[in-house]
Amino acid sequence: MTLDTKTLVDELRDGNPRALARAITRIENRSKGYRELVGELHRHSTGADIIGVTGSPGSGKSTLVDKLAAAYRERDERVGIIAVDPSSPYSGGAVLGDRIRMGSAIGDDGIFVRSMSSRGSLGGLSGATADAVKAFDAAGMDRVIIETVGAGQNEVDIVKTADTVLVLVPPQSGDTIQMLKAGILEIADVFVVNKADLEGANRIVEELLEMIQLAPESEEETWRQPVIETVATSGTGVDTLCETVDEHLGFLDRTGLREVHARRRYEEEIRTLLRDEVGYLIEDEIEAHGGITELGEAVRNRETDPYAVVEEIVNPLRAYLSERS
Amino acid sequence: MSADRQQRTIRCMVAKVGLDGHDRGAHVIARAFRDAGFEVVYSGLHRAPEEVVQAAVQEDVDVLGVSILSGAHNTLIPKIIEGLREYDAFDDTLLLVGGVIPEEDAEHLKELGVAEVFGPGTSIQKTIEFIEEHAPDR
Ligand SMILES: Nc1nc2c(ncn2[C@@H]2O[C@H](COP(=O)(O)OP(=O)(O)OP(=O)(O)O)[C@@H](O)[C@H]2O)c(=O)[nH]1
Ligand SMILES: [Mg+2]
């Protein structure tokens, strides 16, 4: 381990916010040596509760996350927040505005808010998010809350990092059906009808309850998704929501599902990392064979064919691996 | 080789301190920065210096742009500088100030460690070029 990594991890575990911030930056930038850093962070993580918060744009996620964090602070728990904004995938630039609604952190180093964009990510944004969670965990956060807009697969992958997923469904959104399509409903552990002060809240609650009734009965202890009403702006319902989150975490612990889920996440992480890593090797090999343009042109000229090109690139690897076993 | 695929992006924070009213200007700047490929954390209106410092540290920004129109720059900016120093974050944060600042005050702020002061007439393009040139190399 380089001295640098060790110092950073020591300081971060000592509660130095600057060290934590710097560690997350290295993770985001995929800076030199970040793998070693993440490895060390993982060794020092003890299993913070990870809560994912998702829902359509403007549904009140940031406002609610802020109130949740404040409620945890009242119980003397330390809270890390990752506000992910995946909205501008390729320009490279982004405006990250979730922080505007997160006033509870002010003057309190027990709440740490970090905004992340997608940066057209290598290794996927979900990978960087999962690694940032490890940093928060190693820094001694009791809860890590991840906010992300519920839009597509990318976001679904991000919230899958969480133990408990809250899906916000505001009234008057006509959202329920849309979200069914996006596959967001399946990943909800708790439905939160936020903006319950607005008209139509009752109808949405009923719609959701009806849908949940359709879930099949089973012998084992199962989790029936609760529907909680909140008004994030005033904090109404936030205490109930906190209790519900803890009930869900309790359910996961009782049934052993928390371990099962964690193991599956790591399985997935290993697979993703391997795919990326092998992908880079292959990219380098393509370059060594003259570059993809040249190869494409050779196929077009009927000098070779796609399968032959792939064979040529992959064969040495395969030969090496079979020799070794 | 594969271990070195870095993805460096310039991170900025645009903060408004003091009591002055609207944030249209800050929004325009934030969007221009985004279009230049920067990541911009926007922290909202009426921020106290301590809040700005805390946010800049947590977000680990390369550039902190403070917009200030209320005339209180001579008290607020030194507080921000002091706060950044307390976190040991001053040296690698490029601190910029935008607003109506008299010439001699601007000189004073620069002596304190502000990298540049941009008056109301400055083009955003010039600001972007300044950042690209001077963003700390970490
Ligand atoms: N009436 C009402 N308004 C709310 C409630 N919760 C949030 N809002 C308002 O809804 C708007 C959006 O809130 P945010 O917390 O920024 O929502 P968000 O889901 O984080 O938004 P994005 O991150 O942009 O997707 C703000 O103007 C909030 O004040 C609520 O319970 N009732
Ligand atoms: Mg938000």
Side-chain angles (χ1 to χ4, degrees):
Chain A
M1 201 192 334
T2 58
L3 184 64
D4 201 25
T5 301
K6 187 173 170 359
T7 318
L8 195 62
V9 174
D10 285 349
E11 285 181 7
L12 160 167
R13 295 181 66 219
D14 249 8
N16 178 346
R18 171 104 174 120
L20 174 55
R22 197 37 71 86
I24 297 176
T25 301
R26 290 209 190 157
I27 287 167
E28 271 201 293
N29 288 350
R30 301 305 199 212
S31 303
K32 205 153 177 273
Y34 91 92
R35 287 147 206 263
E36 182 186 59
L37 172 64
V38 173
E40 199 59 20
L41 293 171
H42 180 66
R43 256 184 293 289
H44 287 295
S45 59
T46 52
D49 298 326
I50 309 167
I51 302 159
V53 177
T54 189
S56 48
S59 53
K61 299 178 291 297
S62 301
T63 314
L64 187 69
V65 166
D66 187 56
K67 289 294 197 304
L68 267 179
Y72 289 135
R73 282 306 288 154
E74 247 165 59
R75 305 196 219 158
D76 245 356
E77 297 184 72
R78 301 182 66 217
V79 188
I81 298 171
I82 305 174
V84 182
D85 192 334
S87 57
S88 59
Y90 300 114
S91 80
V95 176
L96 309 171
D98 292 314
R99 206 177 174 105
I100 299 174
R101 314 252 173 239
M102 299 191 183
S104 295
I106 290 164
D108 176 5
D109 277 332
I111 301 184
F112 192 112
V113 182
R114 184 62 176 240
S115 314
M116 282 170 99
S117 82
S118 57
R119 297 194 185 178
S121 286
L122 277 173
L125 179 57
S126 55
T129 313
D131 289 345
V133 168
K134 294 182 182 83
F136 276 129
D137 194 337
M141 299 299 182
D142 302 290
R143 312 266 181 173
V144 180
I145 309 178
I146 306 171
E147 170 186 342
T148 182
V149 175
Q153 190 55 44
N154 216 350
E155 292 69 54
V156 172
D157 286 345
I158 293 165
V159 291
K160 274 192 190 155
T161 309
D163 296 308
T164 302
V165 176
L166 314 182
V167 172
L168 269 62
V169 191
Q172 303 173 323
S173 57
D175 248 9
T176 36
I177 290 151
Q178 267 177 28
M179 286 166 76
L180 256 177
K181 277 190 210 145
I184 290 275
L185 287 180
E186 286 90 330
I187 61 165
D189 297 307
V190 179
F191 289 106
V192 182
V193 176
N194 187 44
K195 306 199 181 184
D197 53 323
L198 301 184
E199 220 183 281
N202 288 341
R203 216 202 64 239
I204 288 282
V205 171
E206 270 162 33
E207 246 179 71
L208 284 168
L209 286 173
E210 217 165 275
M211 211 169 48
I212 294 159
Q213 295 300 329
L214 298 175
E217 293 283 341
S218 141
E219 289 287 293
E220 295 156 46
E221 184 184 359
T222 52
W223 177 258
R224 196 166 274 270
Q225 299 151 314
V227 180
I228 311 287
E229 291 179 65
T230 59
V231 182
T233 34
S234 70
T236 307
V238 171
D239 283 337
T240 312
L241 181 58
C242 283
E243 281 162 31
T244 308
V245 168
D246 282 347
E247 274 164 30
H248 181 252
L249 292 167
F251 160 79
L252 292 178
D253 287 335
R254 262 195 320 280
T255 52
L257 277 174
R258 201 197 290 227
E259 278 104 11
V260 173
H261 291 172
R263 196 192 61 231
R264 279 199 204 127
R265 285 201 298 264
Y266 290 131
E267 290 169 6
E268 199 52 42
E269 236 182 283
I270 294 169
R271 285 229 160 85
T272 307
L273 286 174
L274 270 174
R275 265 196 297 268
D276 289 350
E277 209 52 44
V278 172
Y280 300 147
L281 287 179
I282 296 289
E283 285 298 324
D284 293 346
E285 275 311 291
I286 290 173
E287 283 311 309
H289 282 78
I292 197 71
T293 312
E294 190 133 322
L295 294 171
E297 186 64 8
V299 169
R300 192 186 68 81
N301 288 332
R302 305 294 185 276
E303 290 158 28
T304 180
D305 65 89
Y307 289 96
V309 171
V310 169
E311 261 323 285
E312 199 183 314
I313 290 174
V314 173
N315 239 342
L317 281 173
R318 197 182 285 131
Y320 172 76
L321 291 176
S322 69
E323 201 173 291
R324 198 198 48 181
S325 58
Chain B
M1 143 124 219
S2 53
D4 292 339
R5 284 165 209 266
Q6 300 201 13
Q7 320 178 34
R8 182 86 166 80
T9 303
I10 295 179
R11 271 172 83 84
C12 307
M13 195 165 90
V14 177
K16 288 214 66 161
V17 294
L19 296 174
D20 49 291
H22 61 81
D23 59 352
R24 207 170 343 112
H27 273 298
V28 172
I29 292 170
R31 277 199 297 272
F33 282 4
R34 175 198 62 196
D35 294 342
F38 305 162
E39 253 170 42
V40 194
V41 179
Y42 181 55
S43 71
L45 280 171
H46 307 317
R47 294 301 173 190
E50 308 82 67
E51 301 172 39
V52 174
V53 169
Q54 186 194 23
V57 168
Q58 293 188 348
E59 299 288 356
D60 196 17
V61 290
D62 306 285
V63 181
L64 172 56
V66 181
S67 153
I68 186 164
L69 295 172
S70 56
H73 48 268
N74 283 336
T75 51
L76 295 176
I77 300 297
K79 276 191 191 153
I80 290 178
I81 293 175
E82 195 183 312
L84 287 174
R85 278 195 206 283
E86 257 164 48
Y87 279 105
D88 205 17
F90 177 73
D91 285 341
D92 47 14
T93 306
L94 186 75
L95 181 59
L96 307 177
V97 174
V100 191
I101 314 261
E103 186 62 35
E104 55 180 81
D105 287 359
E107 282 313 313
H108 178 59
L109 292 178
K110 283 202 229 171
E111 271 161 32
L112 290 177
V114 170
E116 192 56 271
V117 176
F118 295 103
T122 323
S123 80
I124 294 181
Q125 194 48 41
K126 205 181 137 212
T127 315
I128 289 170
E129 279 162 21
F130 185 88
I131 291 173
E132 281 169 342
E133 200 169 316
H134 294 94
D137 194 19
R138 313 183 171 162

